[in-house]
């Protein structure tokens, strides 16, 4: 089971697979050195970023993330300002405090290599770590894969966890199974997911975590709506959310709201999150950083514009979104480097559509239909960030993903849940489409907009 604690992670931007994943993998390697008694005798650490991490890692801050992980930091706890201070120290002083305790010489240009040629047999986001003694002897070597959404796995890890590793009352691995469980138990999807979560952790811990995720999502929107200036990177993209907010507030003050203005607010919410993400701020993976704006935007839309919204129904929104995101994570992918942006913004839209349908009181069948509709109309979406930065087209793409999610939930609620193409069909199609998609369209910035746009 993919838990809400796994799917929704608090971290920093700009990328869950290229920033949070490498940071976590580097931290894991450092802890392996510590547990092996090798940390204090390590004189040098070399990291190689391969595949998509090599092609777009510089724009995504992957090298900086490795530095932070080697220094013992983890995404959910690091303060972005503290992280910048650590990076500055490592790059200017030429030294790194490995694991936060052991000083060693460190030259990023020599010790972090962007390798665009070596194979990545397990996953296109692969990292190789090597630790050496003062005499040059190899102490420890590990290879990790950043598989999307901040998840990392050893390259030699088995393909699937052992059966029965997590005993839950309502196990499901497909949309069809989820609907069957709903019929046999008479329970809504949100209640089944909550029962699964509370079989693994105390009820209060689950509720507190859901509330924490909601709070961070809303705080990120608020910060993003007031953020000013230019986003980091060579594109010099100006933040737009604050200006859009001012115009919408001015229109509201004049009682001059057009019928489509509500969707402009939704776009604002999504863009605010993704501008924060692009700036390296704190966001929630939902299910990734590149798609972090969709679920919060739709959740904020529900809170602000839908009568009857409560904290409890917002929690149920996230529980249902977890179920849908878990199906994509288990049966396909949420990694842009593996299946393109259909696995990021597409999955986020599917999660948000299902969550909104639940919050509005839909049946299990209508919820499954909403998730299916949202993904069906993201199939084939490429991941082609210009300059390797999570900015163009990523920021606006989240706005459109949120709009599609709301439309999908509304359309599904107009029906009775009966439809020809199932969610499982769409999950399978997304996976197959991702396998067929050319590598240059999967987070390498070698095709699409990234190739056709020429930086001045």
């Amino acid at each position: 089971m993919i838990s809400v604690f796994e799917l929704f992670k608090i971290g920093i931007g700009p990328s869950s697979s290229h920033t949070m994943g490498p940071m976590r993998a580097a931290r894991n390697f450092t802890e392996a050195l510590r547990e092996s008694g090798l940390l204090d005798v390590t004189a040098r650490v070399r990291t190689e970023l391969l595949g998509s991490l090599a092609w777009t890692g510089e724009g995504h801050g992957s090298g900086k993330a490795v530095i932070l992980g080697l220094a013992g930091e983890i995404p959910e706890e690091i303060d972005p300002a503290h992280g910048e201070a650590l990076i500055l120290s490592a790059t200017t002083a030429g030294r790194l405090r490995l694991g936060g305790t052991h000083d060693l010489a460190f030259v990023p240009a020599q010790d972090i290599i962007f390798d665009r040629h070596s194979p990545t047999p397990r996953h296109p986001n692969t990292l190789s770590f090597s630790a050496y003694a003062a005499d040059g002897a190899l102490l420890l070597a590990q290879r990790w894969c950043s598989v999307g959404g901040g998840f990392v796995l050893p390259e030699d890890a088995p393909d699937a966890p052992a059966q029965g590793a997590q005993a839950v009352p309502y196990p499901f691995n497909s949309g069809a199974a989820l609907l069957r469980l709903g019929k046999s138990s008479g329970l809504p999807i949100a209640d089944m997911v909550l029962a699964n979560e509370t079989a693994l952790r105390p009820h209060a811990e689950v509720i507190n975590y859901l509330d924490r995720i909601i709070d961070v999502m809303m705080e990120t929107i608020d910060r993003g709506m007031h953020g000013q200036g230019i986003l980091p990177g060579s594109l010099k993209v100006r933040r737009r959310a604050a200006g859009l907010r001012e115009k919408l507030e001015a229109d509201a003050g004049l009682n001059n709201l057009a019928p489509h203005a509500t969707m402009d607010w939704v776009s604002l919410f999504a863009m605010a999150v993704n501008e924060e993400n692009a700036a390296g701020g704190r966001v929630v993976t939902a299910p990734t950083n590149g798609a972090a704006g969709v679920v919060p935007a739709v959740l904020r839309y529900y809170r602000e514009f839908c009568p009857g919204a409560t904290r409890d129904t917002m929690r149920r929104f996230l529980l249902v979104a977890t179920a849908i995101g878990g199906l994509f994570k288990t049966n396909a992918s949420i990694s842009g480097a593996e299946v393109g942006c259909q696995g990021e913004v597409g999955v986020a839209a599917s999660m948000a559509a299902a969550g909104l349908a639940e919050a509005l009181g839909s049946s299990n069948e209508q919820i499954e239909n909403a998730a299916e509709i949202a993904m069906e109309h993201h199939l084939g979406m490429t991941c082609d960030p210009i300059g390797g930065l999570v900015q163009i087209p990523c920021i606006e793409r989240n706005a459109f993903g949120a709009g599609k999610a709301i439309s999908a939930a509304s359309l599904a609620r107009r029906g009775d849940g009966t439809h020809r193409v199932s969610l499982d069909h769409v999950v399978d199609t997304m996976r197959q489409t991702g396998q067929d998609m050319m590598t240059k369209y999967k987070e390498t910035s070698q095709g699409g907009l990234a190739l056709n746009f020429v930086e001045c």
Side-chain angles (χ1 to χ4, degrees), residues 49 57 101 205 208 223 229 243 271 317 438:
L49 302 170
T101 60
E205 184 179 351
N208 289 340
R223 283 198 313 274
M271 291 172 64
F317 180 119
M438 297 175 68

Side-chain angles (χ1 to χ4, degrees), residues 315-371:
R315 296 181 191 127
R316 295 176 69 84
F317 180 119
L318 291 184
L319 289 168
V320 168
T322 298
I324 302 304
L327 290 178
F328 281 101
K329 169 67 178 166
T330 301
N331 299 310
S333 175
I334 58 171
S335 168
E338 201 168 20
V339 295
C341 197
Q342 59 175 354
E344 298 203 28
V345 169
V347 172
S350 187
M351 293 166 59
L356 179 60
E358 157 61 37
L360 294 175
S362 304
S363 68
N364 289 349
E365 289 74 19
Q366 289 172 320
I367 291 168
E368 185 262 358
N369 190 17

